[in-house]
Amino acid sequence: VKGGVSMDTLPESNLQEVAFVGRSNVGKSSLVNMILGRRALAYTSKTPGKTQQYNYFVINEGRSIGSFHLVDFPGLGYAKVPAADRKRWLHFLDTYIRSRSQLKLVVHLIDSRVGPLDTDIMLMDMIGTALNTRMSTDELASDPKEASELGWEYAIVMTKVDKGRNTARSDVIARVHKAMALANCPPAVKIVHSSAKSKKGRDDIWRLLRRMQLRTD
């Protein structure tokens, strides 16, 4: 595990990267642990805002093909985090998604119980703006596989799909699609339903990672 607090402190590596982003208390660290099959690899807490740096996890370390970095970003929007830190994290994320050549996939986690909140909409706006500065209108309407020309793709994982439900409520998903459309995000974004408690969605998330054909260059 490696950590960074600015672009200058990120690992100097050719490994491709998958970034997990979302608002504070969305269950990101628990989901990372579930995906990786490790109970306490990413720090989890009942107090939001505990992830204070950009944590890098090496996946499939040592393999010539299939090794990559999973990047756990600080949760956004937690009121008790100093405003200067929140502003710094947002600036870093915007710079990261626009300029990090190793980035191949941005996974946006949204709480399935409440749907997209202001922080999620802000993230979608940031992602949509970044994508639109690098894609033409024709590319946005084309097959999502062509997004590889961007350098990275965008996917959504609905967290906390528990209590006997297999998917998030239809009204929540409708709000997600509406928010993406308003932010000019690609229309064919993959949405995965997950639960860190039941491990629901783990295989689907791994299929999403494999679809990126992550490998060392």
Side-chain angles (χ1 to χ4, degrees), residues 1 12 16 31 59 70 89 121 126 139 153 175 216:
V1 179
E12 295 182 2
Q16 298 181 0
L31 190 73
I59 312 302
L70 189 155
W89 293 347
I121 292 171
M126 181 186 297
E139 285 173 325
E153 295 185 25
R175 287 168 50 208
T216 55

Side-chain angles (χ1 to χ4, degrees), residues 22-76:
R23 68 178 183 83
S24 185
N25 203 32
V26 75
K28 183 161 49 62
S29 294
S30 295
L31 190 73
V32 168
N33 287 332
M34 182 269 282
I35 294 169
L36 302 184
R38 298 284 293 276
R39 186 171 183 178
L41 188 61
Y43 181 73
T44 60
S45 172
K46 292 182 179 180
T47 303
K50 284 297 183 180
T51 301
Q52 299 287 314
Q53 64 177 5
Y54 322 107
N55 292 318
Y56 272 65
F57 304 96
V58 181
I59 312 302
N60 299 328
E61 187 172 11
R63 296 185 183 180
S64 59
I65 296 178
S67 182
F68 64 97
H69 275 132
L70 189 155
V71 189
D72 181 14
F73 272 72
L76 302 173

Side-chain angles (χ1 to χ4, degrees), residues 13-19 56-59 64 66-71 96 100-105 151-152 209-217:
S13 170
N14 290 328
L15 290 183
Q16 298 181 0
E17 298 175 4
V18 174
Y56 272 65
F57 304 96
V58 181
I59 312 302
S64 59
S67 182
F68 64 97
H69 275 132
L70 189 155
V71 189
Y96 174 84
R100 185 70 168 173
S101 62
Q102 294 92 329
L103 179 63
K104 297 302 171 187
L105 176 65
W152 55 271
L209 299 181
R210 293 190 187 102
R211 187 170 64 85
M212 302 307 299
Q213 296 181 339
L214 296 163
R215 68 183 189 279
T216 55
D217 294 328

